[in-house]
Every structure is written in structure tokens, then in C-alpha cells.
Amino acid sequence: MRNLLELKDIKKTFKIKDASDSVVLEGINLQVKEGEFLAVLGPSGSGKSTLLQIIAGLIPSSGGTVSYLGKEIHGVNPGVAMVFQSFALFPWLTVLENVMLGLERKKMSAADKKEKSMQVLDIVGLDGFENAYPKELSGGMRQRVGIGRALVSEPDILLMDEAFSALDVLTAENLRRDLLELWLDKKIPTKSIVLITHGIEEAVYMADRAVILSSGPATIIKNINIDLPRWRNRKTPEFLA
Ligand code: ADP
Ligand code: MG
């Protein structure tokens, strides 16, 4: 399969006032292939969110290149969309309006944007909630809105930054399963998923491959293929190993 995304020698330093620069990422080389579910594991504060924001083009790197479909990206990456741990919904907008934001950059009529967003709400299990406000929803439903807003633009790569971490155990499990099913059954056109997590079990349950980051500065210290058949059973010796 071809490479959708390629990171070459990515470095990130933050300037700290009255102190020496803090180096967060160093020498990150990473490829995401078409059809791949990649988990990025690392300790808290190691630079995972920074890495994802660089992939999305939301912040610039301090060195190295990000390429999407073989072309270097400067600015927002057109092939990705992001789901945040904190949901990052706009409280004054309805569920439908929040999802429609995912189409803001697309040249489509307002009517088409609405129709597309309604279809996505159906896919993520929010049919009938289009006029609700985020505060009227449970955490799991809020994150479904977050996922819908990302999916509506039909990104090649879905970036998920600890997207299940803020949810209770059962809600997180349902959402993981629903997302995996949408992706495995090709009910969404998303080709690849990059999931940032600090949960080893979550990575082994969902991903085809995991890379592990060290911290201070973060660099990739391990690359592990997870070729267990799906759906995976957490109680098998292979899973536990
Ligand atoms: P993770 O997502 O792995 O928990 P982050 O990518 O959020 O880690 O942060 C990595 C490190 O970079 C942390 O030490 C954090 O304080 C620092 N950092 C993140 N953003 C900034 C910023 N805008 N300015 C200065 N330091 C930052
Ligand atoms: Mg983070």
C-alpha cells in the first residue's frame, strides 16, 4: 500500500521566556500507509499532541518535513481531520452546526453542507439530536459530535488525540467498537487512522501497528506490528502478551 503520510526528521522546540529552548520532538521519522490503523503511545507530556498538531499543520515544526501523498505540506494538511480529547465543541452551536463546521473550508452550498452533515450524524448514531446543544448531551454523545465533525470532511486520515480518555469505561468501549466497525466495514471513506493514546490495551485492541515515544525530547523508540485477527479478545494469551 502507498504512503499517505510521511514525516521526515521532525523536530519541535518551544521558546521559553528567560530560559533555554525546550526540545519536545527530535528526529521523528514516521510513515502512515493507506489502510493502516496506527497507534502512537507515549507518556503524558512527551509531545504526542504536539506531534499530531504538526501532522495536521496546525502548528509548524522547527525542522523536518511532513508530506501528504508525496507532497510537502506547508500550512493546514488537507488530508486529515482531528478528534480531540476535550471534544472541543462550540457550546453556542447546535449539534448540526458543530458538525457543519467540519465543512467550512469546502466549496459546497449551505444546503449540501447540511445534507452531508445530517448523513454523518446518522452514521455516528446521533440521528434526531441535530438541534440539541452540547450541554444537553452525555460525554459519549458529545464525542460522537466531535467524531462527526471530523468525518464530515471525508479525510483520508483521521487523527484522534486521546479521543476516548475523557469518557467512562463503558462509553469509551462502545465508541471504540462503533468507530472500528465504521472503519473496518468501510462505512466511512477514511483510509487510515492515527490514534494517540497512553493506553497499551487500547492500542492493542484497535491498531495494526504501534509506535512508542520516549520523552524529553520525544523520539520513536519502538515500532510494533499488531497482527492479531479482529475482532480481538482481550482475554487471549496473544492479546495479553
Ligand atoms: P502530550 O500530548 O504527550 O501529553 P504535549 O504535546 O501536549 O504532550 O506537550 C509536550 C511538551 O511540550 C510539554 O512539556 C508541554 O509543556 C510542552 N508544550 C506544548 N505546547 C507548548 C507551547 N505552546 N509552548 C511551550 N511549551 C509547550
Ligand atoms: Mg496530549
Side-chain angles (χ1 to χ4, degrees):
M1 281 290 192
R2 64 184 173 154
N3 273 339
L4 286 183
L5 185 77
E6 179 155 30
L7 274 59
K8 277 198 190 135
D9 208 19
I10 288 292
K11 179 176 182 169
K12 182 68 186 178
T13 27
F14 286 112
K15 298 230 173 298
I16 310 285
K17 197 169 177 277
D18 302 327
S20 53
D21 291 356
S22 120
V23 184
V24 175
L25 303 172
E26 181 84 73
I28 304 270
N29 291 296
L30 185 67
Q31 285 138 21
V32 179
K33 291 202 169 19
E34 187 169 337
E36 177 171 56
F37 193 133
L38 175 72
V40 179
L41 278 156
S44 168
S46 58
K48 301 184 299 298
S49 296
T50 303
L51 180 64
L52 216 54
Q53 284 169 345
I54 290 172
I55 291 175
L58 299 176
I59 59 171
S61 68
S62 313
T65 56
V66 177
S67 304
Y68 166 62
L69 292 175
K71 269 207 222 133
E72 261 185 50
I73 298 294
H74 301 278
V76 175
N77 188 335
V80 309
M82 179 103 88
V83 181
F84 301 89
Q85 176 178 4
S86 60
F87 319 142
L89 305 179
F90 293 96
W92 60 88
L93 298 179
T94 63
V95 165
L96 175 64
E97 288 163 345
N98 269 287
V99 170
M100 284 173 70
L101 277 184
L103 293 172
E104 203 169 50
R105 295 161 56 86
K106 301 265 177 195
K107 290 193 181 68
M108 288 168 73
S109 71
D112 286 349
K113 284 183 184 179
K114 186 171 171 186
E115 191 186 329
K116 180 98 218 144
S117 301
M118 291 295 283
Q119 285 166 5
V120 165
L121 282 174
D122 196 22
I123 287 173
V124 297
L126 286 173
D127 195 17
F129 288 93
E130 55 272 13
N131 295 320
Y133 285 89
K135 69 172 185 326
E136 298 168 330
L137 304 178
S138 66
M141 288 163 81
R142 284 182 206 173
Q143 191 57 303
R144 285 177 191 271
V145 181
I147 292 171
R149 181 181 55 197
L151 291 178
V152 74
S153 65
E154 303 192 334
D156 275 346
I157 308 174
L158 187 64
L159 305 176
M160 309 190 85
D161 190 356
E162 305 205 31
F164 308 105
S165 303
L167 304 171
D168 66 77
V169 178
L170 281 178
T171 305
E173 190 58 13
N174 282 333
L175 211 46
R176 280 187 202 105
R177 203 177 324 105
D178 285 356
L179 178 77
L180 210 47
E181 187 179 296
L182 289 176
W183 183 67
L184 291 171
D185 293 352
K186 300 197 170 9
K187 289 178 188 154
I188 51 174
T190 295
K191 297 189 174 89
S192 304
I193 300 179
V194 179
L195 171 70
I196 294 245
T197 175
H198 54 246
I200 296 174
E201 198 188 277
E202 181 171 276
V204 180
Y205 181 65
M206 299 193 83
D208 302 308
R209 183 163 71 97
V211 295
I212 300 178
L213 297 179
S214 62
S215 58
T219 170
I220 294 175
I221 50 171
K222 221 166 162 69
N223 177 38
I224 304 167
N225 287 320
I226 307 167
D227 47 16
L228 302 174
R230 298 182 194 276
W231 292 76
R232 294 173 181 163
N233 180 343
R234 288 184 168 86
K235 295 200 178 86
T236 60
E238 295 77 20
F239 190 100
L240 293 166

Tab-separated table of all heavy atoms in Angstrom, residues 169-215:
chain	number	residue	atom	x	y	z
A	169	VAL	N	-15.674	4.136	31.295
A	169	VAL	CA	-15.183	2.896	30.696
A	169	VAL	C	-16.134	2.313	29.646
A	169	VAL	O	-15.729	1.993	28.529
A	169	VAL	CB	-14.918	1.848	31.810
A	169	VAL	CG1	-14.464	0.525	31.217
A	169	VAL	CG2	-13.882	2.369	32.785
A	170	LEU	N	-17.427	2.207	30.004
A	170	LEU	CA	-18.376	1.574	29.083
A	170	LEU	C	-18.630	2.428	27.851
A	170	LEU	O	-18.706	1.919	26.729
A	170	LEU	CB	-19.707	1.325	29.810
A	170	LEU	CG	-19.729	0.102	30.709
A	170	LEU	CD1	-21.081	-0.011	31.413
A	170	LEU	CD2	-19.436	-1.159	29.924
A	171	THR	N	-18.749	3.736	28.056
A	171	THR	CA	-18.984	4.649	26.941
A	171	THR	C	-17.797	4.621	25.974
A	171	THR	O	-17.979	4.563	24.756
A	171	THR	CB	-19.182	6.087	27.468
A	171	THR	OG1	-20.236	6.071	28.419
A	171	THR	CG2	-19.518	7.043	26.358
A	172	ALA	N	-16.606	4.624	26.540
A	172	ALA	CA	-15.402	4.589	25.709
A	172	ALA	C	-15.373	3.303	24.889
A	172	ALA	O	-15.073	3.326	23.689
A	172	ALA	CB	-14.154	4.685	26.589
A	173	GLU	N	-15.739	2.199	25.528
A	173	GLU	CA	-15.699	0.907	24.845
A	173	GLU	C	-16.702	0.865	23.679
A	173	GLU	O	-16.392	0.385	22.599
A	173	GLU	CB	-15.982	-0.205	25.865
A	173	GLU	CG	-15.746	-1.598	25.371
A	173	GLU	CD	-14.318	-1.840	24.886
A	173	GLU	OE1	-13.430	-1.002	25.161
A	173	GLU	OE2	-14.104	-2.855	24.198
A	174	ASN	N	-17.909	1.384	23.917
A	174	ASN	CA	-18.911	1.421	22.851
A	174	ASN	C	-18.433	2.256	21.672
A	174	ASN	O	-18.615	1.895	20.512
A	174	ASN	CB	-20.221	2.031	23.362
A	174	ASN	CG	-20.995	1.028	24.185
A	174	ASN	OD1	-20.862	-0.173	23.987
A	174	ASN	ND2	-21.788	1.518	25.125
A	175	LEU	N	-17.826	3.393	21.999
A	175	LEU	CA	-17.395	4.311	20.957
A	175	LEU	C	-16.228	3.729	20.150
A	175	LEU	O	-16.177	3.852	18.928
A	175	LEU	CB	-17.009	5.642	21.603
A	175	LEU	CG	-17.227	6.902	20.782
A	175	LEU	CD1	-18.594	6.916	20.129
A	175	LEU	CD2	-17.077	8.129	21.671
A	176	ARG	N	-15.307	3.069	20.854
A	176	ARG	CA	-14.191	2.397	20.166
A	176	ARG	C	-14.734	1.373	19.183
A	176	ARG	O	-14.324	1.303	18.032
A	176	ARG	CB	-13.308	1.640	21.167
A	176	ARG	CG	-12.336	2.484	21.914
A	176	ARG	CD	-11.403	1.583	22.733
A	176	ARG	NE	-10.845	2.364	23.813
A	176	ARG	CZ	-11.220	2.270	25.094
A	176	ARG	NH1	-12.132	1.390	25.468
A	176	ARG	NH2	-10.680	3.049	25.998
A	177	ARG	N	-15.681	0.566	19.660
A	177	ARG	CA	-16.219	-0.501	18.829
A	177	ARG	C	-16.965	0.078	17.622
A	177	ARG	O	-16.793	-0.366	16.501
A	177	ARG	CB	-17.129	-1.416	19.658
A	177	ARG	CG	-17.238	-2.771	19.043
A	177	ARG	CD	-18.054	-3.808	19.813
A	177	ARG	NE	-17.989	-3.770	21.252
A	177	ARG	CZ	-18.991	-3.296	22.021
A	177	ARG	NH1	-20.092	-2.817	21.478
A	177	ARG	NH2	-18.878	-3.321	23.333
A	178	ASP	N	-17.769	1.109	17.878
A	178	ASP	CA	-18.537	1.711	16.783
A	178	ASP	C	-17.611	2.320	15.728
A	178	ASP	O	-17.838	2.168	14.526
A	178	ASP	CB	-19.475	2.802	17.323
A	178	ASP	CG	-20.676	2.196	18.047
A	178	ASP	OD1	-20.799	0.945	18.055
A	178	ASP	OD2	-21.478	2.961	18.615
A	179	LEU	N	-16.565	3.006	16.184
A	179	LEU	CA	-15.651	3.619	15.229
A	179	LEU	C	-14.911	2.552	14.416
A	179	LEU	O	-14.799	2.647	13.192
A	179	LEU	CB	-14.633	4.515	15.947
A	179	LEU	CG	-13.635	5.132	14.971
A	179	LEU	CD1	-14.268	6.289	14.225
A	179	LEU	CD2	-12.364	5.559	15.656
A	180	LEU	N	-14.443	1.524	15.115
A	180	LEU	CA	-13.716	0.441	14.442
A	180	LEU	C	-14.613	-0.232	13.403
A	180	LEU	O	-14.180	-0.549	12.293
A	180	LEU	CB	-13.255	-0.562	15.505
A	180	LEU	CG	-11.977	-1.345	15.276
A	180	LEU	CD1	-10.845	-0.456	14.826
A	180	LEU	CD2	-11.585	-2.074	16.560
A	181	GLU	N	-15.870	-0.406	13.758
A	181	GLU	CA	-16.812	-1.048	12.835
A	181	GLU	C	-17.038	-0.178	11.589
A	181	GLU	O	-17.026	-0.687	10.475
A	181	GLU	CB	-18.130	-1.309	13.558
A	181	GLU	CG	-19.112	-2.122	12.726
A	181	GLU	CD	-20.400	-2.367	13.503
A	181	GLU	OE1	-20.350	-3.040	14.540
A	181	GLU	OE2	-21.446	-1.863	13.071
A	182	LEU	N	-17.212	1.122	11.793
A	182	LEU	CA	-17.388	2.026	10.645
A	182	LEU	C	-16.200	1.922	9.700
A	182	LEU	O	-16.356	1.902	8.476
A	182	LEU	CB	-17.507	3.486	11.120
A	182	LEU	CG	-18.770	3.905	11.852
A	182	LEU	CD1	-18.658	5.354	12.315
A	182	LEU	CD2	-19.991	3.732	10.965
A	183	TRP	N	-15.021	1.852	10.299
A	183	TRP	CA	-13.791	1.863	9.502
A	183	TRP	C	-13.555	0.494	8.843
A	183	TRP	O	-13.317	0.410	7.638
A	183	TRP	CB	-12.612	2.256	10.400
A	183	TRP	CG	-11.322	2.361	9.682
A	183	TRP	CD1	-10.988	3.285	8.724
A	183	TRP	CD2	-10.191	1.514	9.838
A	183	TRP	NE1	-9.705	3.056	8.297
A	183	TRP	CE2	-9.189	1.987	8.968
A	183	TRP	CE3	-9.908	0.417	10.643
A	183	TRP	CZ2	-7.941	1.390	8.864
A	183	TRP	CZ3	-8.670	-0.173	10.554
A	183	TRP	CH2	-7.700	0.307	9.672
A	184	LEU	N	-13.655	-0.594	9.623
A	184	LEU	CA	-13.397	-1.934	9.077
A	184	LEU	C	-14.428	-2.299	8.003
A	184	LEU	O	-14.095	-2.931	7.006
A	184	LEU	CB	-13.430	-2.982	10.193
A	184	LEU	CG	-12.290	-2.941	11.214
A	184	LEU	CD1	-12.577	-3.894	12.381
A	184	LEU	CD2	-10.954	-3.279	10.569
A	185	ASP	N	-15.683	-1.896	8.210
A	185	ASP	CA	-16.739	-2.220	7.237
A	185	ASP	C	-16.824	-1.196	6.104
A	185	ASP	O	-17.749	-1.231	5.297
A	185	ASP	CB	-18.102	-2.312	7.942
A	185	ASP	CG	-18.167	-3.496	8.901
A	185	ASP	OD1	-17.220	-4.305	8.890
A	185	ASP	OD2	-19.156	-3.601	9.659
A	186	LYS	N	-15.890	-0.237	6.108
A	186	LYS	CA	-15.819	0.787	5.056
A	186	LYS	C	-17.124	1.571	4.899
A	186	LYS	O	-17.551	1.907	3.801
A	186	LYS	CB	-15.375	0.169	3.727
A	186	LYS	CG	-14.003	-0.492	3.815
A	186	LYS	CD	-13.424	-0.716	2.439
A	186	LYS	CE	-11.974	-1.159	2.388
A	186	LYS	NZ	-11.290	-1.530	3.588
A	187	LYS	N	-17.746	1.859	6.042
A	187	LYS	CA	-18.938	2.707	6.008
A	187	LYS	C	-18.528	4.172	5.945
A	187	LYS	O	-19.376	5.050	5.781
A	187	LYS	CB	-19.782	2.455	7.257
A	187	LYS	CG	-20.458	1.093	7.231
A	187	LYS	CD	-21.259	0.847	8.508
A	187	LYS	CE	-21.759	-0.579	8.550
A	187	LYS	NZ	-21.975	-1.039	9.929
A	188	ILE	N	-17.246	4.445	6.167
A	188	ILE	CA	-16.706	5.803	6.011
A	188	ILE	C	-15.523	5.719	5.040
A	188	ILE	O	-14.843	4.691	4.985
A	188	ILE	CB	-16.245	6.394	7.371
A	188	ILE	CG1	-15.309	5.420	8.116
A	188	ILE	CG2	-17.448	6.734	8.249
A	188	ILE	CD1	-14.714	5.987	9.395
A	189	PRO	N	-15.291	6.791	4.259
A	189	PRO	CA	-14.203	6.720	3.274
A	189	PRO	C	-12.807	6.905	3.856
A	189	PRO	O	-11.821	6.822	3.125
A	189	PRO	CB	-14.549	7.839	2.291
A	189	PRO	CG	-15.382	8.798	3.055
A	189	PRO	CD	-16.084	8.019	4.126
A	190	THR	N	-12.708	7.156	5.159
A	190	THR	CA	-11.402	7.326	5.814
A	190	THR	C	-10.519	6.110	5.568
A	190	THR	O	-10.941	4.986	5.796
A	190	THR	CB	-11.628	7.524	7.331
A	190	THR	OG1	-12.326	8.741	7.520
A	190	THR	CG2	-10.305	7.565	8.091
A	191	LYS	N	-9.297	6.370	5.089
A	191	LYS	CA	-8.412	5.256	4.730
A	191	LYS	C	-7.576	4.792	5.916
A	191	LYS	O	-7.350	3.601	6.087
A	191	LYS	CB	-7.490	5.684	3.586
A	191	LYS	CG	-8.261	6.022	2.309
A	191	LYS	CD	-7.311	6.235	1.144
A	191	LYS	CE	-8.069	6.431	-0.163
A	191	LYS	NZ	-8.388	7.858	-0.370
A	192	SER	N	-7.098	5.741	6.697
A	192	SER	CA	-6.187	5.391	7.794
A	192	SER	C	-6.535	6.191	9.045
A	192	SER	O	-7.102	7.275	8.951
A	192	SER	CB	-4.742	5.694	7.394
A	192	SER	OG	-4.426	5.008	6.199
A	193	ILE	N	-6.171	5.623	10.183
A	193	ILE	CA	-6.442	6.296	11.452
A	193	ILE	C	-5.145	6.361	12.260
A	193	ILE	O	-4.398	5.376	12.311
A	193	ILE	CB	-7.543	5.558	12.255
A	193	ILE	CG1	-8.847	5.528	11.442
A	193	ILE	CG2	-7.766	6.205	13.619
A	193	ILE	CD1	-10.013	4.808	12.115
A	194	VAL	N	-4.875	7.521	12.832
A	194	VAL	CA	-3.751	7.664	13.760
A	194	VAL	C	-4.339	8.004	15.121
A	194	VAL	O	-4.968	9.044	15.293
A	194	VAL	CB	-2.768	8.769	13.313
A	194	VAL	CG1	-1.622	8.898	14.324
A	194	VAL	CG2	-2.219	8.481	11.924
A	195	LEU	N	-4.166	7.107	16.065
A	195	LEU	CA	-4.725	7.284	17.405
A	195	LEU	C	-3.607	7.499	18.410
A	195	LEU	O	-2.720	6.661	18.554
A	195	LEU	CB	-5.535	6.040	17.797
A	195	LEU	CG	-6.014	5.981	19.253
A	195	LEU	CD1	-7.108	7.002	19.519
A	195	LEU	CD2	-6.514	4.577	19.594
A	196	ILE	N	-3.657	8.641	19.068
A	196	ILE	CA	-2.704	8.918	20.132
A	196	ILE	C	-3.312	8.428	21.426
A	196	ILE	O	-4.486	8.679	21.685
A	196	ILE	CB	-2.483	10.436	20.205
A	196	ILE	CG1	-1.810	10.873	18.935
A	196	ILE	CG2	-1.777	10.824	21.475
A	196	ILE	CD1	-0.481	11.390	19.079
A	197	THR	N	-2.534	7.705	22.203
A	197	THR	CA	-3.091	7.150	23.425
A	197	THR	C	-1.977	6.891	24.433
A	197	THR	O	-0.810	6.781	24.052
A	197	THR	CB	-3.853	5.832	23.119
A	197	THR	OG1	-4.292	5.250	24.340
A	197	THR	CG2	-3.000	4.820	22.377
A	198	HIS	N	-2.337	6.837	25.707
A	198	HIS	CA	-1.357	6.308	26.650
A	198	HIS	C	-1.817	4.946	27.158
A	198	HIS	O	-1.264	4.412	28.109
A	198	HIS	CB	-1.056	7.300	27.786
A	198	HIS	CG	-2.259	7.770	28.520
A	198	HIS	ND1	-2.691	9.065	28.492
A	198	HIS	CD2	-3.154	7.096	29.252
A	198	HIS	CE1	-3.790	9.162	29.205
A	198	HIS	NE2	-4.089	7.977	29.679
A	199	GLY	N	-2.838	4.395	26.514
A	199	GLY	CA	-3.357	3.095	26.917
A	199	GLY	C	-2.836	1.975	26.029
A	199	GLY	O	-3.147	1.894	24.855
A	200	ILE	N	-2.033	1.100	26.611
A	200	ILE	CA	-1.466	-0.018	25.842
A	200	ILE	C	-2.584	-0.926	25.348
A	200	ILE	O	-2.616	-1.356	24.196
A	200	ILE	CB	-0.463	-0.814	26.717
A	200	ILE	CG1	0.725	0.096	27.079
A	200	ILE	CG2	0.028	-2.068	25.999
A	200	ILE	CD1	1.700	-0.525	28.050
A	201	GLU	N	-3.560	-1.182	26.238
A	201	GLU	CA	-4.662	-2.071	25.875
A	201	GLU	C	-5.487	-1.497	24.725
A	201	GLU	O	-5.889	-2.214	23.807
A	201	GLU	CB	-5.538	-2.285	27.111
A	201	GLU	CG	-6.416	-3.497	26.971
A	201	GLU	CD	-7.420	-3.581	28.108
A	201	GLU	OE1	-7.044	-4.084	29.167
A	201	GLU	OE2	-8.566	-3.156	27.912
A	202	GLU	N	-5.728	-0.180	24.782
A	202	GLU	CA	-6.483	0.473	23.706
A	202	GLU	C	-5.753	0.324	22.368
A	202	GLU	O	-6.363	0.045	21.340
A	202	GLU	CB	-6.668	1.960	24.048
A	202	GLU	CG	-7.451	2.732	23.012
A	202	GLU	CD	-7.787	4.138	23.515
A	202	GLU	OE1	-8.796	4.268	24.227
A	202	GLU	OE2	-7.052	5.091	23.195
A	203	ALA	N	-4.441	0.483	22.411
A	203	ALA	CA	-3.645	0.369	21.181
A	203	ALA	C	-3.718	-1.051	20.629
A	203	ALA	O	-3.923	-1.257	19.426
A	203	ALA	CB	-2.193	0.754	21.462
A	204	VAL	N	-3.591	-2.049	21.510
A	204	VAL	CA	-3.591	-3.444	21.041
A	204	VAL	C	-4.987	-3.847	20.553
A	204	VAL	O	-5.134	-4.636	19.629
A	204	VAL	CB	-3.104	-4.410	22.152
A	204	VAL	CG1	-3.112	-5.860	21.669
A	204	VAL	CG2	-1.701	-4.029	22.608
A	205	TYR	N	-6.013	-3.273	21.155
A	205	TYR	CA	-7.381	-3.592	20.732
A	205	TYR	C	-7.680	-3.025	19.344
A	205	TYR	O	-8.307	-3.667	18.513
A	205	TYR	CB	-8.391	-3.039	21.747
A	205	TYR	CG	-9.826	-3.342	21.387
A	205	TYR	CD1	-10.283	-4.658	21.374
A	205	TYR	CD2	-10.716	-2.323	21.055
A	205	TYR	CE1	-11.591	-4.949	21.032
A	205	TYR	CE2	-12.028	-2.614	20.714
A	205	TYR	CZ	-12.464	-3.927	20.700
A	205	TYR	OH	-13.757	-4.210	20.361
A	206	MET	N	-7.195	-1.805	19.084
A	206	MET	CA	-7.628	-1.099	17.875
A	206	MET	C	-6.653	-1.115	16.707
A	206	MET	O	-7.065	-1.131	15.552
A	206	MET	CB	-7.952	0.360	18.232
A	206	MET	CG	-9.072	0.473	19.253
A	206	MET	SD	-9.714	2.140	19.392
A	206	MET	CE	-10.872	2.214	18.029
A	207	ALA	N	-5.357	-1.065	16.998
A	207	ALA	CA	-4.410	-0.698	15.937
A	207	ALA	C	-3.754	-1.884	15.232
A	207	ALA	O	-3.729	-3.004	15.743
A	207	ALA	CB	-3.333	0.210	16.526
A	208	ASP	N	-3.214	-1.622	14.039
A	208	ASP	CA	-2.424	-2.606	13.287
A	208	ASP	C	-0.944	-2.489	13.630
A	208	ASP	O	-0.152	-3.380	13.360
A	208	ASP	CB	-2.531	-2.347	11.775
A	208	ASP	CG	-3.958	-2.385	11.298
A	208	ASP	OD1	-4.646	-3.377	11.597
A	208	ASP	OD2	-4.397	-1.425	10.630
A	209	ARG	N	-0.602	-1.316	14.159
A	209	ARG	CA	0.810	-1.040	14.436
A	209	ARG	C	0.857	0.014	15.530
A	209	ARG	O	-0.015	0.876	15.585
A	209	ARG	CB	1.478	-0.508	13.161
A	209	ARG	CG	2.966	-0.234	13.280
A	209	ARG	CD	3.587	-0.122	11.885
A	209	ARG	NE	3.215	1.090	11.172
A	209	ARG	CZ	3.961	2.196	11.130
A	209	ARG	NH1	5.107	2.248	11.761
A	209	ARG	NH2	3.558	3.249	10.435
A	210	ALA	N	1.863	-0.095	16.391
A	210	ALA	CA	2.030	0.925	17.420
A	210	ALA	C	3.463	1.422	17.398
A	210	ALA	O	4.397	0.636	17.227
A	210	ALA	CB	1.702	0.350	18.799
A	211	VAL	N	3.632	2.743	17.504
A	211	VAL	CA	4.971	3.277	17.734
A	211	VAL	C	4.994	3.855	19.143
A	211	VAL	O	3.994	4.403	19.614
A	211	VAL	CB	5.410	4.339	16.697
A	211	VAL	CG1	5.542	3.730	15.315
A	211	VAL	CG2	4.473	5.520	16.687
A	212	ILE	N	6.115	3.710	19.787
A	212	ILE	CA	6.242	4.163	21.172
A	212	ILE	C	7.246	5.297	21.244
A	212	ILE	O	8.351	5.206	20.689
A	212	ILE	CB	6.662	2.985	22.079
A	212	ILE	CG1	5.578	1.897	21.980
A	212	ILE	CG2	6.846	3.439	23.523
A	212	ILE	CD1	5.842	0.651	22.760
A	213	LEU	N	6.810	6.385	21.881
A	213	LEU	CA	7.660	7.558	22.025
A	213	LEU	C	8.343	7.552	23.381
A	213	LEU	O	7.736	7.186	24.386
A	213	LEU	CB	6.827	8.845	21.929
A	213	LEU	CG	6.087	9.156	20.643
A	213	LEU	CD1	5.315	10.468	20.799
A	213	LEU	CD2	7.056	9.265	19.471
A	214	SER	N	9.587	7.982	23.390
A	214	SER	CA	10.252	8.267	24.659
A	214	SER	C	9.870	9.698	25.016
A	214	SER	O	9.195	10.370	24.256
A	214	SER	CB	11.759	8.169	24.477
A	214	SER	OG	12.169	9.140	23.536
A	215	SER	N	10.326	10.193	26.160
A	215	SER	CA	10.059	11.600	26.424
A	215	SER	C	11.361	12.332	26.667
A	215	SER	O	12.387	11.728	26.963
A	215	SER	CB	9.112	11.771	27.606
A	215	SER	OG	9.647	11.172	28.743
